[in-house]
């Protein structure tokens, strides 16, 4: 525990809004959607009470929320927003533009299923439909991580070598609405870690600048290439920032987190807070003598190819657990990405894909044990199905 | 230097073109069509804004002709994001400046925040964002370039296209007169939001336009200025008639020039003798298919709408054109 840090029990949504407060965000534009609501409700009360010196714009839609964030960020203010599901989908058009404009907006996404049928419950279909938007995308597993990564997201996004908006994904309800004990560092520590935002580009009549010009075919590709290269290169900066946070707080983060992977022949791979559920199953299976381990993918964009290959090293089977479906396609999003990371390698583990917890369907440690049992019965060279919709009836 | 001090602007309502700023903020070299009324309007509006302004612009002709990477025609700080969200972007810019100023991070006076968009970007796809920004009361000025269709994408109809006009998606035919709906009244919509300064304007009346923009940016809170912009390409009109057509729109009462200050209407350009709409239509290919009865129907509508406006403005009645009673259109019946 870092010096002078306070250990408090609080709802994770509230912890996220405290992180935004302690990061001294200057502008927030957001529109309510379950299960993101507690984050923005708490932020508006912090602003209303003068506990956070910021402009809170009560926009009339998520499309306008992100559009207003583009405006506040281009004006030079440290900017935060939060959304979920339909809201993220409504922002879709502007997600790409915000990152192409290289504006360091930070967004919390309380992950939730996409309609239809309408569902307010948790899965990752919202973010997976937005994975190619050119943002840095992080997943967290618990309240402490939600707090820590929200603070760190500002520093990542605003790094002058990065300048890419950053998204912190946290599972709706099953993470956002639980009360957890977490450690809140001193404001002074956060101020040292995250100095005030000094924009590199800003709308200013003293230095007029055209932002958002269009591109003819002769230049579009180069602009896109630059974005891709910068996003991939942000990897080292992100790791450096996580390391610095680790030194200050004693909490260390990796792009691919490992649990009981020593000597593991079978690896479960999850994203988000089901990792903690899977860990319980892994523990029990290990006790039964099964060489099972767990990987939790924290950094989704830029995708940590090297770290993943290293983490998988030695395993014979990777069971990728997706929380989204690629309708009409083959592999679901995470499986597809993980597979492509290994396809070109001479020796690679077998991979099986299980889709779990769609639309809030409960997933327990027993389910992970069952998945491992079923996976062992499959012939990984020729699985009976392209992927498995675990727990589906009929 | 802009010779009109901020609070002084209303004093200069005499014709004195040399007093207008010589600075060009919307520079030559952009790629608008010959005779483009929007480009003309942008040029004068930017002069009226002066240097201390920041512009958010919607996708549309004026964005496309002016900002191809790596060039720009804009001397103001300028931000284009998308088609339908300009008012939201501007509200963000305004809020951003406000907090920077409050935290002492923006020395000196804050620049004026201005949003600009075409009639499609304003009255159709951008209406929600505009409504939100007006309702929230941001201190910004929204300027609509109304060339009465989606010109950038090839002259498709918008809700601002006038009744009877031919566009590529409101073509006249055996079962179609052309645009079948009446022009959406954006001014009334802005007034209904309680916007303290709302006006119509035209680059054919430069001084009227200039001072309205000055008043709009001086107004604390939101302001809305609706500028009719002749588009020779979309209206199928001769490129040297742009200014003339803009004047005819006013002289025929098709597009009256007025302002609404805190809900109070005032006609800013009075026309003693209203000309018949056909004088205006005759010069535009988009109305060429209209026959006498249809034109008479439109004439009646224009006259009655203008009368309503005059009542709101408590203005004297001018001389109206006489309509022949021989024929009435079916549509008008
Ligand atoms: C969401 C979205 N839908 C459609 C378009 C295509 N689009 C670009 S500009 C435009 C029309 C612009 O019309 P208007 O706002 O009247 O401006 P003008 O070009 O006439 O000045 C359209 C339909 C777009 N860019 N974005
Ligand atoms: S199409 Fe019309 S509005 Fe667009 S640039 Fe040409 S003349 Fe101007
Ligand atoms: Mg138009």
């Amino acid at each position: 525990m870092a010096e002078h840090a306070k250990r408090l029990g609080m709802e994770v949504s509230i912890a996220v809004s405290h992180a935004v407060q302690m990061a001294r965000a200057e502008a927030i534009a957001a529109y309510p959607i379950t299960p993101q609501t507690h984050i923005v409700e708490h932020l508006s009360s912090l602003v209303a009470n003068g506990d956070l010196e910021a402009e809170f714009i009560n926009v009339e839609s998520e499309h306008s929320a992100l559009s207003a964030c583009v405006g506040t960020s281009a004006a030079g203010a440290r900017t935060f927003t939060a959304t979920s599901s339909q809201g993220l989908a409504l922002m879709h058009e502007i997600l790409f533009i915000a990152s192409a404009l290289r504006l360091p907006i930070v967004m919390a996404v309380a992950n939730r299923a996409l309609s239809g049928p309408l569902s307010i419950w948790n899965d990752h279909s919202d973010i997976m439909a937005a994975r190619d938007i050119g943002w840095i995308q992080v997943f967290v597993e618990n309240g402490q991580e939600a707090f820590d990564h929200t603070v760190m997201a500002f520093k990542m996004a605003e790094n002058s070598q990065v300048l890419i908006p950053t998204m912190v994904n946290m599972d709706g309800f099953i993470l956002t609405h639980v009360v957890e004990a977490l450690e809140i560092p001193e404001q002074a520590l956060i101020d040292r870690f995250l100095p005030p935002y000094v924009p590199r580009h800003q709308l200013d009549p003293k230095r007029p600048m055209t932002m958002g010009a269009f591109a003819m075919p002769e230049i579009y590709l180069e602009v896109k290439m630059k974005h891709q290269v910068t996003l991939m290169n942000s990897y080292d900066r992100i790791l450096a920032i996580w390391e610095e946070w680790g030194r200050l707080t004693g909490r260390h983060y990796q792009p691919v987190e490992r649990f009981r992977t020593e000597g593991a022949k079978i690896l479960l791979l999850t994203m988000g807070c089901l990792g903690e559920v899977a860990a319980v199953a892994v523990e029990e299976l290990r006790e039964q003598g099964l060489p099972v381990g767990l990987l939790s993918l924290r950094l989704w964009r830029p995708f940590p190819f090297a770290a993943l290959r290293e983490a998988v090293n030695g395993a014979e089977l990777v069971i990728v657990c997706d929380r989204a479906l690629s309708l009409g396609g083959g592999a679901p999003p995470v499986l597809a990405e993980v597979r492509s990371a290994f396809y070109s390698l001479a020796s690679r583990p077998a991979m099986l894909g299980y889709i779990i917890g769609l639309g809030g369907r409960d997933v327990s440690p027993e389910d992970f044990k069952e998945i491992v049992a079923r996976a062992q019965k499959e012939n990984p060279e020729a699985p009976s199905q392209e992927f498995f919709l675990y727990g589906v009836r009929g | 230097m802009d010779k009109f001090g901020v609070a002084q602007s209303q004093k200069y309502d005499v014709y004195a073109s040399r007093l207008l700023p010589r600075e060009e903020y919307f520079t030559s070299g952009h790629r608008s069509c010959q005779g483009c009324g929007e480009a003309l309007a942008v040029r004068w509006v930017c002069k009226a804004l002066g240097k201390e302004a920041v512009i958010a612009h919607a996708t549309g002709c004026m964005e496309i002709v002016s900002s191809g990477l790596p060039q720009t025609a804009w001397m103001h700080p300028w931000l284009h994001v998308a088609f339908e969200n300009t008012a939201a972007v501007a509200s963000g810019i305004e809020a951003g400046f406000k907090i920077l100023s409050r935290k002492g991070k923006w020395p000196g006076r804050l620049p004026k925040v201005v949003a600009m968009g075409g009639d499609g970007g304003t009255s159709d796809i951008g209406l929600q964002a505009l409504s939100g920004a007006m309702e929230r009361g941001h201190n910004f000025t929204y300027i609509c370039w109304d060339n009465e269709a989606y010109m950038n994408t090839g002259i498709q109809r918008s809700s601002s296209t006038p009744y009877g006009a031919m566009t590529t998606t409101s073509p006249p035919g055996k079962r179609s007169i052309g645009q079948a709906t009446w022009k959406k009244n954006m001014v009334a919509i802005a007034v209904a939001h309680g916007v303290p300064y709302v006006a119509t304007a035209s680059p054919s009346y430069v001084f009227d336009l200039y001072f309205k923009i000055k008043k709009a940016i001086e107004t604390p809170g939101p302001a809305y200025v609706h500028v009719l912009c002749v588009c020779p390409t979309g209206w199928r009109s001769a490129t040297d008639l742009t200014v003339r057509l803009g004047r005819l729109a006013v002289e025929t009462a098709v597009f009256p020039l007025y302002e609404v200050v805190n809900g109070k209407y005032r006609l800013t350009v009075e026309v003693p003798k209203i000309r018949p709409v056909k004088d205006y239509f005759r010069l535009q290919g988009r109305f060429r298919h209209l026959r006498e009865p249809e034109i008479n129907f439109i004439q009646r509508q224009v006259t009655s709408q203008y009368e309503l406006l005059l009542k709101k403005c408590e203005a004297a009645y001018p001389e109206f054109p006489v309509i022949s009673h021989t024929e009435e259109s079916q549509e008008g019946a």
Side-chain angles (χ1 to χ4, degrees), chain A residues 24-27 47 52-55 57-61 63-65 67-78 90 93-94 97-98 101 103 196-198 202-216 219 223, chain B residues 51-55 63-85 88-100 102-103 105-107 111 128-133 135-136 138:
Chain A
R24 303 192 190 276
E26 294 164 323
V47 173
L52 172 59
E53 187 65 67
E55 280 288 309
I57 315 176
N58 270 307
V59 282
E60 81 300 330
S61 74
H63 195 283
S64 284
S67 300
C69 286
V70 167
T72 55
S73 187
R78 180 172 282 164
L90 191 56
E93 180 194 31
I94 312 303
I97 302 174
L101 286 168
L103 295 170
Y197 173 46
V198 182
Q202 187 176 20
L203 293 167
D204 181 356
K206 285 191 285 303
R207 287 177 301 273
M209 168 182 312
T210 288
M211 297 188 189
F214 78 92
M216 294 295 278
I219 199 164
V223 176
Chain B
K51 192 168 177 295
E52 296 296 314
V54 172
I55 298 170
E63 168 263 326
I64 285 292
V65 303
S66 64
S67 72
L69 268 172
Q71 295 174 324
T72 182
W74 301 88
M75 300 301 280
H76 284 107
W78 185 89
L79 170 61
H80 160 251
V81 182
F83 186 24
E84 67 281 54
N85 63 349
V89 173
S91 54
I93 297 173
E94 185 251 13
F97 285 149
K98 244 165 67 185
I99 183 66
L100 292 188
R102 219 165 52 232
K103 289 181 88 172
K105 291 169 100 181
W106 188 282
Q128 175 182 319
L130 174 59
S131 172
E135 176 269 327
R136 292 191 296 272
H138 294 276

Side-chain angles (χ1 to χ4, degrees), chain B residues 33-62:
Chain B
C33 313
Q34 206 173 28
C36 175
E38 273 193 2
L40 189 62
V42 174
R43 179 171 169 240
W44 283 110
V45 164
C46 287
K47 281 173 186 267
L49 295 179
K51 192 168 177 295
E52 296 296 314
V54 172
I55 298 170
H57 207 294
T59 313
C61 268
M62 287 307 100

